[in-house]
Protein backbone atom coordinates (compact mmCIF):
# COMPACT_ATOMS: atom_id res chain seq x y z
CA UNK A 1 0.00 0.00 0.00
CA UNK A 2 1.12 3.56 -0.70
CA UNK A 3 0.00 6.69 1.17
CA UNK A 4 -1.93 9.06 -1.10
CA UNK A 5 -4.35 11.98 -1.00
CA UNK A 6 -8.11 11.97 -1.46
CA UNK A 7 -7.70 13.28 -5.04
CA UNK A 8 -5.14 10.60 -5.84
CA UNK A 9 -7.59 8.01 -4.51
CA UNK A 10 -10.12 9.23 -7.08
CA UNK A 11 -7.54 9.01 -9.85
CA UNK A 12 -6.51 5.48 -8.87
CA UNK A 13 -10.10 4.26 -8.60
CA UNK A 14 -11.02 5.61 -12.02
CA UNK A 15 -7.84 4.36 -13.68
CA UNK A 16 -8.23 0.86 -12.26
CA UNK A 17 -11.88 0.58 -13.27
CA UNK A 18 -11.24 1.90 -16.78
CA UNK A 19 -8.38 -0.59 -17.13
CA UNK A 20 -10.59 -3.44 -15.91
CA UNK A 21 -13.69 -2.73 -18.03
CA UNK A 22 -13.62 -1.13 -21.48
CA UNK A 23 -17.24 -0.04 -21.05
CA UNK A 24 -16.14 2.49 -18.41
CA UNK A 25 -15.36 5.97 -19.71
CA UNK A 26 -15.10 9.41 -18.17
CA UNK A 27 -16.64 12.68 -19.35
CA UNK A 28 -17.02 16.20 -18.06
CA UNK A 29 -15.70 19.73 -18.22
CA UNK A 30 -11.90 20.12 -18.46
CA UNK A 31 -11.22 16.39 -18.13
CA UNK A 32 -8.34 16.37 -20.58
CA UNK A 33 -6.55 19.36 -19.06
CA UNK A 34 -6.84 17.62 -15.67
CA UNK A 35 -7.62 20.61 -13.44
CA UNK A 36 -7.74 18.76 -10.11
CA UNK A 37 -5.30 15.96 -10.95
CA UNK A 38 -7.84 13.13 -11.04
CA UNK A 39 -7.22 12.20 -14.71
CA UNK A 40 -3.42 12.31 -14.89
CA UNK A 41 -2.22 10.10 -17.77
CA UNK A 42 -5.73 9.11 -18.83
CA UNK A 43 -5.59 10.34 -22.42
CA UNK A 44 -2.32 8.50 -23.05
CA UNK A 45 -3.72 5.31 -21.51
CA UNK A 46 -7.27 5.32 -22.88
CA UNK A 47 -7.49 7.87 -25.73
CA UNK A 48 -10.03 10.62 -26.32
CA UNK A 49 -12.86 8.17 -27.05
CA UNK A 50 -12.92 7.22 -23.38
CA UNK A 51 -11.72 10.53 -21.92
CA UNK A 52 -14.22 13.09 -23.18
CA UNK A 53 -14.24 16.83 -22.64
CA UNK A 54 -17.75 18.28 -22.71
CA UNK A 55 -19.24 21.71 -23.31
CA UNK A 56 -20.36 23.72 -20.27
CA UNK A 57 -23.84 22.20 -20.44
CA UNK A 58 -24.55 19.94 -17.49
CA UNK A 59 -28.08 19.21 -18.67
CA UNK A 60 -26.66 18.00 -21.98
CA UNK A 61 -23.72 15.84 -20.91
CA UNK A 62 -25.37 14.33 -17.83
CA UNK A 63 -28.35 13.44 -20.00
CA UNK A 64 -25.96 11.92 -22.56
CA UNK A 65 -24.37 9.84 -19.80
CA UNK A 66 -27.80 8.52 -18.85
CA UNK A 67 -28.40 7.46 -22.44
CA UNK A 68 -24.96 5.84 -22.68
CA UNK A 69 -25.63 3.88 -19.50
CA UNK A 70 -28.96 2.61 -20.84
CA UNK A 71 -27.27 1.13 -23.91
CA UNK A 72 -24.57 -0.72 -21.98
CA UNK A 73 -21.78 1.74 -21.18
CA UNK A 74 -20.67 2.64 -17.65
CA UNK A 75 -19.92 6.37 -17.63
CA UNK A 76 -18.20 8.33 -14.89
CA UNK A 77 -19.38 11.94 -15.09
CA UNK A 78 -17.19 14.63 -13.54
CA UNK A 79 -19.67 17.42 -12.79
CA UNK A 80 -16.94 19.43 -11.03
CA UNK A 81 -18.90 21.26 -8.30
CA UNK A 82 -22.12 20.03 -6.71
CA UNK A 83 -23.84 23.35 -7.38
CA UNK A 84 -23.46 22.52 -11.09
CA UNK A 85 -25.91 19.65 -10.71
CA UNK A 86 -28.84 22.07 -10.68
CA UNK A 87 -28.90 22.71 -14.46
CA UNK A 88 -29.19 18.92 -14.92
CA UNK A 89 -31.94 18.32 -12.37
CA UNK A 90 -34.51 17.23 -14.94
CA UNK A 91 -32.14 14.62 -16.39
CA UNK A 92 -31.12 13.36 -12.93
CA UNK A 93 -34.59 13.35 -11.37
CA UNK A 94 -36.88 12.50 -14.30
CA UNK A 95 -34.68 10.20 -16.40
CA UNK A 96 -31.71 8.78 -14.52
CA UNK A 97 -33.45 8.14 -11.19
CA UNK A 98 -36.73 6.83 -12.65
CA UNK A 99 -35.94 4.89 -15.83
CA UNK A 100 -35.23 1.50 -14.26
CA UNK A 101 -38.54 1.73 -12.41
CA UNK A 102 -40.73 3.06 -15.21
CA UNK A 103 -39.39 0.49 -17.71
CA UNK A 104 -40.03 -2.38 -15.32
CA UNK A 105 -36.37 -3.23 -14.88
CA UNK A 106 -35.67 -3.46 -18.63
CA UNK A 107 -33.33 -0.46 -18.42
CA UNK A 108 -30.26 -0.27 -16.19
CA UNK A 109 -28.36 2.95 -15.55
CA UNK A 110 -24.89 2.06 -14.27
CA UNK A 111 -23.35 5.51 -14.05
CA UNK A 112 -21.52 7.58 -11.46
CA UNK A 113 -21.93 11.35 -11.20
CA UNK A 114 -19.04 12.85 -9.26
CA UNK A 115 -19.19 16.34 -7.83
CA UNK A 116 -17.24 18.31 -5.26
CA UNK A 117 -18.64 19.92 -2.11
CA UNK A 118 -16.65 23.12 -2.63
CA UNK A 119 -17.41 25.00 0.58
CA UNK A 120 -15.44 26.71 3.33
CA UNK A 121 -13.12 28.60 1.01
CA UNK A 122 -14.95 31.87 0.24
CA UNK A 123 -16.66 30.49 -2.84
CA UNK A 124 -19.86 32.35 -1.94
CA UNK A 125 -23.48 31.25 -2.25
CA UNK A 126 -23.57 29.84 -5.79
CA UNK A 127 -20.56 27.53 -5.45
CA UNK A 128 -20.68 26.34 -1.83
CA UNK A 129 -23.68 24.02 -1.72
CA UNK A 130 -23.61 20.77 0.24
CA UNK A 131 -26.71 19.45 -1.49
CA UNK A 132 -26.62 15.67 -0.99
CA UNK A 133 -29.62 15.85 1.36
CA UNK A 134 -32.06 16.93 -1.35
CA UNK A 135 -31.12 13.95 -3.52
CA UNK A 136 -31.88 11.56 -0.64
CA UNK A 137 -35.56 12.39 -1.29
CA UNK A 138 -35.38 10.84 -4.79
CA UNK A 139 -35.90 7.06 -5.03
CA UNK A 140 -33.55 5.35 -7.48
CA UNK A 141 -30.35 7.22 -6.61
CA UNK A 142 -27.53 5.94 -4.43
CA UNK A 143 -25.53 8.56 -2.56
CA UNK A 144 -22.00 8.36 -1.15
CA UNK A 145 -20.10 10.97 0.89
CA UNK A 146 -16.63 9.59 1.77
CA UNK A 147 -14.59 11.31 4.47
CA UNK A 148 -11.08 10.07 3.65
CA UNK A 149 -8.89 8.76 0.84
CA UNK A 150 -9.17 5.08 1.79
CA UNK A 151 -12.97 5.11 1.75
CA UNK A 152 -12.99 7.26 -1.38
CA UNK A 153 -11.06 4.72 -3.43
CA UNK A 154 -12.95 1.64 -2.29
CA UNK A 155 -16.38 3.24 -2.56
CA UNK A 156 -15.80 4.84 -5.96
CA UNK A 157 -14.68 1.50 -7.40
CA UNK A 158 -17.80 -0.13 -5.96
CA UNK A 159 -19.95 2.66 -7.40
CA UNK A 160 -18.53 2.17 -10.91
CA UNK A 161 -19.44 -1.53 -10.73
CA UNK A 162 -22.94 -0.84 -9.39
CA UNK A 163 -25.85 -1.24 -11.79
CA UNK A 164 -27.71 1.74 -10.32
CA UNK A 165 -26.90 5.46 -10.64
CA UNK A 166 -24.62 6.70 -7.88
CA UNK A 167 -24.05 10.32 -6.87
CA UNK A 168 -20.55 10.67 -5.45
CA UNK A 169 -20.15 13.80 -3.32
CA UNK A 170 -16.49 14.65 -2.65
CA UNK A 171 -15.89 16.95 0.32
CA UNK A 172 -13.14 19.41 -0.61
CA UNK A 173 -12.21 19.87 3.06
CA UNK A 174 -10.94 16.26 2.92
CA UNK A 175 -8.90 16.64 -0.27
CA UNK A 176 -5.49 16.84 1.39
CA UNK A 177 -6.10 14.01 3.83
CA UNK A 178 -3.85 11.01 3.20
CA UNK A 179 -4.25 7.28 3.66
CA UNK A 180 -2.55 4.04 2.69
CA UNK A 181 -4.37 2.87 -0.44
CA UNK A 182 -4.50 -0.84 -1.31
CA UNK A 183 -3.00 -1.85 -4.66
CA UNK A 184 -5.53 -4.67 -5.03
CA UNK A 185 -7.60 -4.00 -8.18
CA UNK A 186 -10.59 -5.65 -6.49
CA UNK A 187 -10.42 -3.53 -3.33
CA UNK A 188 -14.04 -2.44 -2.83
CA UNK A 189 -16.04 -0.87 -0.01
CA UNK A 190 -19.73 -1.69 -0.56
CA UNK A 191 -22.22 1.15 -0.52
CA UNK A 192 -24.45 0.88 2.53
CA UNK A 193 -21.69 -0.23 4.89
CA UNK A 194 -20.76 2.41 7.46
CA UNK A 195 -17.71 2.47 9.70
CA UNK A 196 -16.85 3.19 13.33
CA UNK A 197 -13.96 5.64 13.14
CA UNK A 198 -13.48 5.70 16.92
CA UNK A 199 -14.91 3.45 19.62
CA UNK A 200 -16.62 5.02 22.64
CA UNK A 201 -19.19 4.43 25.36
CA UNK A 202 -20.78 7.73 26.44
CA UNK A 203 -22.08 9.41 23.29
CA UNK A 204 -22.43 8.52 19.59
CA UNK A 205 -21.39 11.20 17.13
CA UNK A 206 -22.74 10.37 13.67
CA UNK A 207 -20.82 12.56 11.26
CA UNK A 208 -21.06 13.03 7.49
CA UNK A 209 -18.27 13.74 5.01
CA UNK A 210 -16.01 16.57 6.15
CA UNK A 211 -17.64 16.53 9.57
CA UNK A 212 -15.90 13.23 10.39
CA UNK A 213 -12.45 14.79 11.01
CA UNK A 214 -14.18 17.47 13.12
CA UNK A 215 -15.93 14.78 15.16
CA UNK A 216 -12.63 12.94 15.71
CA UNK A 217 -11.03 16.18 16.91
CA UNK A 218 -14.00 16.76 19.23
CA UNK A 219 -13.72 13.19 20.54
CA UNK A 220 -10.09 13.81 21.47
CA UNK A 221 -11.09 17.00 23.30
CA UNK A 222 -13.96 15.24 25.07
CA UNK A 223 -11.63 12.51 26.29
CA UNK A 224 -9.90 15.13 28.44
CA UNK A 225 -13.27 15.66 30.17
CA UNK A 226 -13.60 11.93 30.73
CA UNK A 227 -16.26 11.63 28.02
CA UNK A 228 -15.83 8.63 25.72
CA UNK A 229 -17.23 9.51 22.28
CA UNK A 230 -17.90 7.02 19.50
CA UNK A 231 -17.55 8.46 15.98
CA UNK A 232 -19.76 6.82 13.37
CA UNK A 233 -19.21 7.49 9.65
CA UNK A 234 -22.19 6.32 7.54
CA UNK A 235 -20.01 6.71 4.39
CA UNK A 236 -23.07 6.34 2.15
CA UNK A 237 -26.42 7.99 2.80
CA UNK A 238 -28.40 5.84 0.36
CA UNK A 239 -28.29 3.00 1.21
CA UNK A 240 -27.77 3.95 4.86
CA UNK A 241 -26.22 1.54 7.36
CA UNK A 242 -29.07 1.94 9.84
CA UNK A 243 -28.13 -1.01 12.01
CA UNK A 244 -24.60 0.29 12.60
CA UNK A 245 -25.98 3.64 13.75
CA UNK A 246 -28.64 2.06 15.97
CA UNK A 247 -26.15 -0.36 17.57
CA UNK A 248 -23.90 2.53 18.47
CA UNK A 249 -26.72 4.60 19.96
CA UNK A 250 -28.10 1.65 21.93
CA UNK A 251 -24.62 1.19 23.40
CA UNK A 252 -24.01 4.83 24.38
CA UNK A 253 -27.56 6.07 25.01
CA UNK A 254 -26.76 9.49 23.56
CA UNK A 255 -26.58 10.73 19.96
CA UNK A 256 -25.38 13.78 18.07
CA UNK A 257 -25.57 14.13 14.29
CA UNK A 258 -23.00 16.36 12.63
CA UNK A 259 -23.77 17.46 9.09
CA UNK A 260 -22.09 20.18 6.97
CA UNK A 261 -25.39 20.69 5.07
CA UNK A 262 -28.16 23.07 6.13
CA UNK A 263 -30.03 21.71 9.13
CA UNK A 264 -33.61 21.70 7.82
CA UNK A 265 -34.40 18.40 6.05
CA UNK A 266 -30.73 17.41 6.29
CA UNK A 267 -29.21 13.94 6.27
CA UNK A 268 -28.43 14.54 9.93
CA UNK A 269 -32.10 15.24 10.58
CA UNK A 270 -33.12 11.99 8.83
CA UNK A 271 -30.63 10.07 10.97
CA UNK A 272 -31.97 11.80 14.09
CA UNK A 273 -35.50 10.72 13.13
CA UNK A 274 -34.30 7.15 12.60
CA UNK A 275 -32.77 7.10 16.09
CA UNK A 276 -35.90 8.60 17.68
CA UNK A 277 -38.12 6.01 15.99
CA UNK A 278 -36.04 2.88 16.52
CA UNK A 279 -33.80 3.49 19.53
CA UNK A 280 -35.93 5.80 21.67
CA UNK A 281 -35.96 3.37 24.59
CA UNK A 282 -32.15 3.50 24.75
CA UNK A 283 -31.83 7.29 24.77
CA UNK A 284 -30.82 9.14 27.94
CA UNK A 285 -31.49 12.53 26.36
CA UNK A 286 -32.61 14.22 23.14
CA UNK A 287 -30.86 13.61 19.83
CA UNK A 288 -28.91 16.79 19.10
CA UNK A 289 -28.06 18.12 15.64
CA UNK A 290 -24.97 20.12 14.75
CA UNK A 291 -25.35 21.47 11.23
CA UNK A 292 -24.98 24.59 9.10
CA UNK A 293 -27.39 27.44 9.67
CA UNK A 294 -30.28 27.74 7.19
CA UNK A 295 -28.82 30.63 5.25
CA UNK A 296 -26.95 31.13 1.99
CA UNK A 297 -23.23 31.18 2.48
CA UNK A 298 -21.47 34.55 2.37
CA UNK A 299 -18.20 35.38 0.66
CA UNK A 300 -16.74 36.71 3.93
CA UNK A 301 -14.39 34.06 5.39
CA UNK A 302 -15.01 35.17 8.97
CA UNK A 303 -18.79 34.94 8.66
CA UNK A 304 -18.78 31.77 6.55
CA UNK A 305 -16.60 29.71 8.88
CA UNK A 306 -18.81 30.36 11.91
CA UNK A 307 -21.85 28.88 10.15
CA UNK A 308 -20.45 25.35 9.79
CA UNK A 309 -20.12 22.58 12.36
CA UNK A 310 -16.90 22.79 14.38
CA UNK A 311 -15.19 20.69 17.04
CA UNK A 312 -16.20 23.32 19.60
CA UNK A 313 -19.90 23.03 18.71
CA UNK A 314 -19.72 19.23 18.85
CA UNK A 315 -17.98 19.34 22.24
CA UNK A 316 -20.64 21.72 23.58
CA UNK A 317 -23.42 19.40 22.41
CA UNK A 318 -21.76 16.36 23.98
CA UNK A 319 -21.19 18.16 27.28
CA UNK A 320 -24.86 19.17 27.29
CA UNK A 321 -25.98 15.57 26.78
CA UNK A 322 -23.67 14.15 29.42
CA UNK A 323 -24.63 16.90 31.88
CA UNK A 324 -21.30 18.67 32.20
CA UNK A 325 -21.41 22.46 32.30
CA UNK A 326 -19.67 24.24 29.48
CA UNK A 327 -16.75 26.33 30.78
CA UNK A 328 -17.65 30.04 30.86
CA UNK A 329 -14.73 30.98 28.58
CA UNK A 330 -15.62 28.31 25.96
Amino acid sequence: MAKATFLEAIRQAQFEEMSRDERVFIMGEDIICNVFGTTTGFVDAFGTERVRDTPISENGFIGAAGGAAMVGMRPIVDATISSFLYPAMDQIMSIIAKSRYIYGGQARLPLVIRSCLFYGNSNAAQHSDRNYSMFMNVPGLKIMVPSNAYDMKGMLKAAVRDDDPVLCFEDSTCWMSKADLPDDPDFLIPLGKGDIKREGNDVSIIAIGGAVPLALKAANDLARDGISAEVVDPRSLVPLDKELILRSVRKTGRAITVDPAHQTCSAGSEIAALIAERAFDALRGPVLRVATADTHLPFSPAIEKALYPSPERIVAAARQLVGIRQPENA
Side-chain angles (χ1 to χ4, degrees):
M1 294 195 288
K3 196 172 288 293
T5 66
F6 194 94
L7 293 173
E8 171 62 13
I10 296 170
R11 190 199 70 79
Q12 288 186 22
Q14 294 179 146
F15 195 95
E16 289 175 13
E17 291 307 300
M18 290 178 70
S19 299
R20 184 188 68 86
D21 188 342
E22 64 182 12
R23 297 171 299 172
V24 180
F25 71 98
I26 186 166
M27 62 191 296
E29 299 161 8
D30 299 321
I31 294 294
I32 291 176
C33 67
N34 190 26
V35 174
F36 296 115
T38 57
T39 52
T40 303
F42 277 40
V43 173
D44 291 340
F46 306 112
T48 53
E49 282 292 305
R50 296 178 65 198
V51 185
R52 294 195 166 215
D53 269 347
T54 64
I56 303 176
S57 175
E58 289 80 8
N59 192 49
F61 66 76
I62 289 178
M70 277 195 268
V71 297
M73 302 300 287
R74 306 185 80 90
I76 303 170
V77 181
D78 186 341
T80 313
I81 297 174
S82 296
S83 303
F84 296 171
L85 297 177
Y86 299 140
M89 289 298 265
D90 185 38
Q91 296 292 340
I92 296 171
M93 307 294 210
S94 301
I95 306 300
I96 291 171
K98 293 183 170 68
S99 287
R100 187 164 190 170
Y101 174 80
I102 64 176
Y103 295 127
Q106 296 178 83
R108 296 186 307 169
L109 283 94
L111 75 153
V112 178
I113 302 175
R114 293 180 40 234
S115 62
C116 170
L117 305 170
F118 209 53
Y119 66 100
N121 212 13
S122 295
N123 296 309
Q126 288 187 314
H127 288 75
S128 300
D129 288 322
R130 293 124 294 113
N131 50 5
Y132 41 82
S133 300
M134 68 172 60
F135 292 99
M136 291 175 68
N137 193 246
V138 184
L141 299 175
K142 294 182 177 178
I143 298 170
M144 53 182 272
V145 192
S147 66
N148 60 80
Y150 182 88
D151 291 351
M152 179 73 250
K153 181 174 181 179
M155 294 178 73
L156 182 54
K157 286 169 65 66
V160 173
R161 300 188 193 191
D162 201 294
D163 283 339
D164 291 314
V166 179
L167 301 187
C168 173
F169 290 95
E170 300 156 9
D171 195 314
S172 65
T173 66
C174 302
W175 272 2
M176 292 300 107
S177 65
K178 289 187 176 182
D180 292 325
L181 302 182
D183 295 326
D184 180 1
D186 288 320
F187 162 61
L188 304 173
I189 296 175
L191 303 187
K193 185 174 177 57
D195 191 35
I196 303 293
K197 298 302 188 194
R198 177 183 175 128
E199 299 273 355
N201 297 305
D202 296 325
V203 59
S204 298
I205 304 173
I206 302 99
I208 296 165
V212 173
L214 306 180
L216 291 169
K217 169 73 164 59
N220 286 334
D221 295 341
L222 288 165
R224 289 195 287 270
D225 288 336
I227 300 172
S228 172
E230 181 152 292
V231 178
V232 182
D233 182 355
R235 300 201 287 201
S236 69
L237 300 175
V238 182
L240 180 66
D241 194 341
K242 297 178 182 179
E243 291 307 316
L244 179 76
I245 294 167
L246 293 170
R247 277 199 306 273
S248 176
V249 174
R250 290 189 183 109
K251 178 175 74 169
T252 67
R254 303 177 181 91
I256 303 166
T257 66
V258 190
D259 189 346
H262 297 304
Q263 178 166 295
T264 300
C265 296
S266 62
S269 296
E270 177 63 23
I271 292 169
L274 167 73
I275 294 166
E277 287 178 350
R278 294 181 52 184
F280 183 79
D281 58 326
L283 291 174
R284 304 182 193 178
V287 182
L288 299 184
R289 295 174 293 166
V290 177
T292 300
D294 292 331
T295 181
H296 293 301
L297 295 169
F299 172 79
S300 164
I303 301 174
E304 180 190 17
K305 184 177 180 181
L307 295 173
Y308 300 124
S310 65
E312 293 75 19
R313 289 177 61 194
I314 300 168
V315 166
R319 290 176 66 94
Q320 175 186 333
L321 280 181
V322 176
I324 298 176
R325 284 187 57 189
Q326 186 74 355
E328 291 183 4
N329 62 350

